[in-house]
Amino acid sequence: MAIQAPQASSPPVAHLPAAVAATTTGVKKPALFSIFLAHISVDMQTSSLTVLLPLLLASLDLSYSLAALIVSVNNLVIAVAQPLFGIAGDRRPVRWLMFVGAVLCGTAMVSVTLLPSYGLVLAAVVLSGLGSAAFHPEGLAAVREVSGDKPASGTSFFFFGGNLGFALGPFLATLLIASYGTPGAVGMIVPTALATAALFLQRRAFGARAHPPGSRLLGQTQAADVRRAFWLVVFLLALIAARSLILSGLQTFIPLYFSSYSDLSRESIGAMVSVLIFSGAFGTLLGGPISERIGRRNTMCAAMAIVLVALFAFLRAEGLMQLIAIGIAGAFITMPWPISVVMVQEAMPNNIGLAGGLTLGLTYGASGLGVGLLGGLADVAGLPTVMMLLTLLPIVVLFMSLFVPERPGLRRASDSPD
């Protein structure tokens, strides 16, 4: 793959493969909206698991470590399996995995409260995780197909759906359980059924492959080009991991820090986390359209500069201003996320499914590993040190963003002078 390495200045690309330069026929809005709904339903199921843990703790008489293992297993399965499903999608037509993945994720998760043993619960969350892992790479590749000449905007809409699902899942599960008791959790299958039906009605809009035949890249087998492609992808994945660590670190340590070092109520602290999550969801919606207007590098750099200022203000403000500051930080942390995913796909145009699986799986892996390391640091150096580190980490991401190429320099094999 002939790709320019990350540098401070990259000329715009003249020739892009068909998989990268999506058609200019416009966005297929009904199809895109059906994937959006399916993404909401899938991530609602995953995030609802935390609300189900107290029920499982009581009904199965679990220890805290066994209860936490349920969530860990689910996240680990998703992180590991997503790249594998992505590879499968690059080799043969598997768009049907979108439908199967959404259904499997939902049905397996709603069965959790009905199962009589811990082993069966673990099996159910594994199946749910596999369903989520199957859906995401194919869904992301399908988004590129139906987004016309606006792939960044389409990807932003896709991730907005996922973040919205993560935010709504615990809320809906809690509401159902509060209204109908433990059996009410089965009602979570309704969003899955509705979203899958919408997806099925639009099935003709989705192509069979993540890239068309004959779009292999010029110079793909040349070692130097492969190395440049590899290091570009590594660079972009490092950016994704660093931003994921900032967001997951804030979600984890804001409650711990303010519970220990302030007199704020639990409700006030919970409001901070809620604002962070919901603002992050809307941030992903804005990233793609803004980058298509002012450029990718400019969007990423500006976002991290705003995050840096907002986090410093957050730790020093009080009341409403504090909520506004963390809301701004949440929105701009996630804003570059869909842009980064599109760039990884462009750097791997013959492996769109693998690109989606890597970027999505990395989010789970980086968040889990990074938060664990930050927890160890908190034990040694204290929570204030961890919060200051999270506040300063945007400086590193900002510096890295300066070297983001606007577009990888790709050429189609058919454009070769030979």
Side-chain angles (χ1 to χ4, degrees):
M1 288 183 286
I3 302 177
Q4 296 177 358
Q7 54 187 7
S9 176
S10 298
V13 62
H15 303 281
L16 289 175
V20 175
T23 64
T24 57
T25 56
V27 180
K28 298 178 181 177
K29 293 182 180 179
L32 180 61
F33 189 69
S34 71
I35 304 173
F36 168 78
L37 291 178
H39 198 190
I40 290 177
S41 72
V42 168
D43 286 354
M44 280 179 68
Q45 301 295 346
T46 301
S47 64
S48 69
L49 182 56
T50 56
V51 174
L52 303 180
L53 284 183
L55 301 177
L56 298 173
L57 196 71
S59 63
L60 300 177
D61 193 25
L62 302 178
S63 66
Y64 290 119
S65 59
L66 287 177
L69 182 62
I70 295 173
V71 177
S72 297
V73 167
N74 185 252
N75 288 343
L76 182 61
V77 168
I78 294 172
V80 173
Q82 278 191 129
L84 300 179
F85 280 112
I87 293 172
D90 290 329
R91 292 184 175 180
R92 63 184 60 187
V94 286
R95 280 291 181 268
W96 52 267
L97 280 178
M98 282 196 299
F99 307 92
V100 173
V103 172
L104 180 61
C105 180
T107 54
M109 188 60 72
V110 299
S111 72
V112 163
T113 57
L114 306 177
L115 297 173
S117 70
Y118 183 72
L120 289 176
V121 168
L122 283 181
V125 298
V126 166
L127 290 175
S128 182
L130 288 173
S132 175
F135 169 81
H136 281 91
E138 288 303 313
L140 190 54
V143 163
R144 290 187 63 83
E145 292 176 355
V146 302
S147 295
D149 56 353
K150 299 290 185 182
S153 294
T155 304
S156 287
F157 193 52
F158 176 80
F159 284 115
F160 172 60
N163 286 333
L164 192 59
F166 267 111
L168 292 176
F171 172 77
L172 181 58
T174 300
L175 182 63
L176 289 170
I177 293 169
S179 301
Y180 304 104
T182 301
V186 178
M188 290 291 291
I189 198 63
V190 174
T192 296
L194 295 175
T196 306
L199 201 64
F200 183 77
L201 291 174
Q202 294 296 320
R203 64 192 181 280
R204 297 185 184 278
F206 308 128
R209 297 180 182 272
H211 58 82
S215 65
R216 308 302 288 181
L217 293 183
L218 176 66
Q220 182 177 346
T221 59
Q222 297 176 3
D225 294 336
V226 171
R227 283 196 298 270
R228 282 196 292 270
F230 173 78
W231 287 114
L232 175 58
V233 171
V234 169
F235 176 74
L236 293 170
L237 291 179
L239 272 175
I240 293 173
R243 287 194 298 264
S244 297
L245 178 57
I246 296 173
L247 184 60
S248 59
L250 290 172
Q251 291 175 349
T252 302
F253 289 98
I254 281 177
L256 297 175
Y257 175 78
F258 284 96
S259 295
S260 302
Y261 292 90
S262 76
D263 57 357
L264 293 176
S265 66
R266 291 183 180 180
E267 291 77 12
S268 297
I269 297 172
M272 294 180 191
V273 178
S274 296
V275 169
L276 176 66
I277 293 173
F278 277 100
S279 64
F282 283 96
T284 57
L285 184 62
L286 300 175
I290 291 177
S291 71
E292 288 166 352
R293 289 179 176 270
I294 68 173
R296 297 172 175 181
R297 186 188 305 117
N298 290 339
T299 301
M300 291 184 177
C301 291
M304 284 303 106
I306 292 172
V307 169
L308 180 64
V309 174
L311 288 181
F312 269 99
F314 168 69
L315 291 179
R316 289 159 178 78
E318 295 179 355
L320 180 60
M321 294 305 299
Q322 193 170 46
L323 289 177
I324 292 175
I326 196 60
I328 292 173
F332 283 90
I333 288 170
T334 60
M335 184 179 290
W337 163 241
I339 309 169
S340 301
V341 174
V342 169
M343 294 182 71
V344 173
Q345 290 178 325
E346 289 177 348
M348 303 173 65
N350 299 314
N351 301 101
I352 295 294
L354 176 58
L358 281 174
T359 53
L360 294 166
L362 180 68
T363 303
Y364 286 92
S367 298
L369 179 61
V371 168
L373 293 174
L374 289 175
L377 178 62
D379 289 333
V380 174
L383 288 170
T385 300
V386 171
M387 292 300 294
M388 183 53 62
L389 178 62
L390 290 171
T391 301
L392 295 175
L393 191 55
I395 297 177
V396 177
V397 181
L398 173 58
F399 177 76
M400 294 175 66
S401 300
L402 293 172
F403 298 92
V404 170
E406 278 299 326
R407 289 183 182 274
L410 308 175
R411 288 175 59 90
R412 294 184 62 177
S414 59
D415 295 327
S416 170
D418 298 329

